[in-house]
Amino acid sequence: MKIRLITPAALLLMQPMVFASPVLETKPQNQSTNTSDTAHTTSEQVATTTTVTAPSAEFVAVPFAFSSESLSTALGGAGVVKHAGQVQASILGIGLYSANDSWIGYLSAHNYQIPEVDSWLFSLETYQAQFKEGIYYLSELAEPYQDAEKVVTLGDESYTRFHAKYVLPWGRGVNGAARSLARSAEPIEWNPLTSGVTSVKVSPFVQTRELQGYDYLPQKSQGVALELDWDNRDNGKDSTQGGQTSLKFSRDFGSADRSSWTTWEFEQSAFFAVGANDWFAQQVMAFNFYLADTPTWNAQSDGSYHRPPTFTGISLGGFDRLRGYASKRFTGRSAVLYSAEYRIQPRWQPLQQWPVFNLYDIPWWQWVAFAEAGQVADEFDAQALHDDLQWTAGIGARFEVESIVVRAELAFGSEDSQFWVMVNQPF
């Protein structure tokens, strides 16, 4: 079994963190001091105004230590600033250094707004790392329809992404983008005009990877992603009903030394509460479907295919998709994945009384059993995508720690098993 603490590279797919919604106070307007006017004041004449009281910034830091196959023994820390300048905004930083001189750094700022621009949220994240003994699966070295080749080498990685998210003014977005981050208190309906949050996100990106001894492989991707999303869950951190639908297009327009390419990814989740009992306060069945393709895969110009590098293309394996395999274990033109989870919250919750744990706010924990089946193919064909499906089965525990979901999972696949520690639900 390989023990892995998830690196900040995993945050490529991390959803923006959601914290508490603004606190509203309703106060009457100042009334006239004229006693005769006051005597005739009716309840209809007393108007109200709504003001937002922004909580002060809160900082939480967590040190950590672990050992893994590629990093050896590593020490690091993570810090989160909640309400960082704005009530809905947050800043996250992670850094670590290992015994084999590998290092990782990650910094992000989430959900900022420009004054008087209520429908937009802006985020920025950047990541840099060096792995002295990085493990990579390179399909570029394999023959067509053959398994990717595993290599261990020095790797330098980086990415920067800027996210501009526009929340459409219907459903829960009718009161602005910041308020759409709060947990839904309304009944879930399957109509985006009255339920959920519909958004359009534009994300320019640049991503690099340089592997020692493989300088001839593509080293850079630069382009833009466009994502259409309808988040109709009752709670993004602990969903019990509803679902989420997203369609994402990514495009690298290419350059003199870089091929252009296009990918699309579709994802649909659904959640069903199955009731409570004497043992469990909550039981939920969660399902997710993922389908992706690279329509430019077979297109050529000047003898080069319009295909993304393996570090930005379609893949399965890692902390969110096909968790029993190493990150990006399977890469290719297209992919399909079916996921199911049984999530339960036990009524027994002793964590707040345990040493170290009692230093943090942990309102709930969750036990999970999950199964996944999926495949990657070099053609977008239903038969190819369902031929000899790869599978994963596993168990895990998840905690809400200072408004952030932390999960630890042990997943088994046909080749090996993986232990992941990561933030946010997989879907």
Side-chain angles (χ1 to χ4, degrees):
M1 181 181 72
K2 298 177 181 178
I3 304 298
R4 299 176 186 272
L5 180 74
I6 195 63
T7 69
L11 296 170
L12 280 166
L13 301 177
M14 190 182 76
Q15 301 172 357
M17 291 180 293
V18 178
F19 297 112
S21 59
V23 177
L24 300 181
E25 295 180 354
T26 302
K27 300 179 180 179
Q29 290 182 337
N30 292 332
Q31 300 179 14
S32 170
T33 56
N34 187 304
T35 56
S36 61
D37 291 341
T38 303
H40 295 285
T41 299
T42 66
S43 59
E44 288 81 5
Q45 291 174 299
V46 179
T48 61
T49 59
T50 301
T51 61
V52 177
T53 302
S56 58
E58 301 176 25
F59 176 71
V60 180
V62 180
F64 55 80
F66 66 96
S67 180
S68 73
E69 182 180 2
S70 60
L71 289 173
S72 185
T73 301
L75 300 175
V80 177
V81 181
K82 299 185 290 183
H83 316 302
Q86 297 180 1
V87 62
Q88 79 289 340
S90 63
I91 297 174
L92 170 66
I94 303 175
L96 68 84
Y97 192 85
S98 76
N100 68 0
D101 295 325
S102 298
W103 56 269
I104 294 171
Y106 175 84
L107 182 64
S108 64
H110 292 275
N111 297 328
Y112 278 87
Q113 287 193 305
I114 297 173
E116 307 302 325
V117 184
D118 292 339
S119 296
W120 288 87
L121 293 169
F122 300 94
S123 304
L124 178 68
E125 54 183 340
T126 185
Y127 154 79
Q128 287 190 326
Q130 183 178 89
F131 300 97
K132 297 294 185 180
E133 299 175 358
I135 300 174
Y136 302 95
Y137 289 86
L138 306 178
S139 59
E140 296 99 332
L141 306 181
E143 296 295 326
Y145 303 101
Q146 298 297 313
D147 200 11
E149 181 175 333
K150 177 182 177 179
V151 301
V152 179
T153 187
L154 172 67
D156 287 292
E157 304 177 2
S158 73
Y159 78 81
T160 299
R161 291 178 180 269
F162 174 75
H163 307 283
K165 179 179 177 181
Y166 175 72
V167 176
L168 277 70
W170 60 59
R172 284 170 48 212
V174 70
N175 294 317
R179 291 181 181 274
S180 73
L181 297 172
R183 179 170 182 166
S184 173
E186 301 295 328
I188 296 295
E189 301 176 359
W190 292 99
N191 181 353
L193 297 179
T194 59
S195 183
V197 180
T198 304
S199 65
V200 179
K201 183 166 66 176
V202 180
S203 303
F205 67 87
V206 57
Q207 186 172 355
T208 66
R209 186 183 70 183
E210 299 179 15
L211 305 181
Q212 188 176 64
Y214 300 90
D215 297 339
Y216 55 89
L217 294 179
Q219 298 181 349
K220 182 179 181 180
S221 286
Q222 183 173 352
V224 63
L226 174 66
E227 183 174 4
L228 312 177
D229 184 84
W230 178 36
D231 188 349
N232 195 34
R233 300 171 294 176
D234 61 334
N235 181 2
K237 293 181 291 186
D238 181 27
S239 305
T240 63
Q241 59 177 322
Q244 185 172 17
T245 307
S246 68
L247 178 62
K248 179 180 178 181
F249 298 89
S250 298
R251 173 70 177 175
D252 185 332
F253 293 92
S255 66
D257 57 353
R258 198 175 73 248
S259 295
S260 61
W261 52 265
T262 301
T263 63
W264 61 261
E265 301 168 85
F266 172 79
E267 195 159 11
Q268 176 67 59
S269 63
F271 304 89
F272 303 92
V274 293
N277 56 38
D278 292 340
W279 291 85
F280 305 120
Q282 185 182 101
Q283 299 181 88
V284 176
M285 293 300 303
F287 302 94
N288 195 68
F289 171 71
Y290 172 78
L291 182 67
D293 184 42
T294 310
T296 59
W297 186 265
N298 291 322
Q300 295 186 61
S301 60
D302 300 325
S304 298
Y305 284 100
H306 292 269
R307 301 175 179 177
T310 54
F311 59 87
T312 54
I314 304 302
S315 67
L316 293 180
F319 54 91
D320 274 343
R321 301 190 179 111
L322 217 56
R323 285 163 273 178
Y325 299 87
S327 181
K328 299 186 182 296
R329 171 62 182 86
F330 305 101
T331 58
R333 168 178 171 163
S334 57
V336 67
L337 181 68
Y338 305 92
S339 304
E341 295 192 343
Y342 174 51
R343 304 175 179 178
I344 56 177
Q345 282 190 16
R347 294 189 184 276
W348 176 62
Q349 213 285 55
L351 299 181
Q352 210 68 78
Q353 285 74 47
W354 291 0
V356 180
F357 286 90
N358 60 13
L359 300 176
Y360 304 95
D361 179 29
I362 308 176
W364 57 261
W365 67 334
Q366 186 178 73
W367 301 344
V368 181
F370 60 88
E372 302 167 297
Q375 184 60 281
V376 171
D378 285 336
E379 54 184 317
F380 188 59
D381 176 81
Q383 181 176 348
L385 286 171
H386 291 84
D387 183 29
D388 193 23
L389 289 173
Q390 306 292 338
W391 60 269
T392 285
I395 56 175
R398 298 169 188 172
F399 319 83
E400 182 182 336
V401 183
E402 298 291 344
S403 299
I404 300 174
V405 175
V406 178
R407 57 186 168 99
E409 297 172 342
L410 176 61
F412 300 89
S414 60
E415 296 178 347
D416 207 339
S417 57
Q418 308 285 336
F419 181 76
W420 301 98
V421 178
M422 180 50 181
V423 296
N424 287 343
Q425 300 278 10
F427 57 86

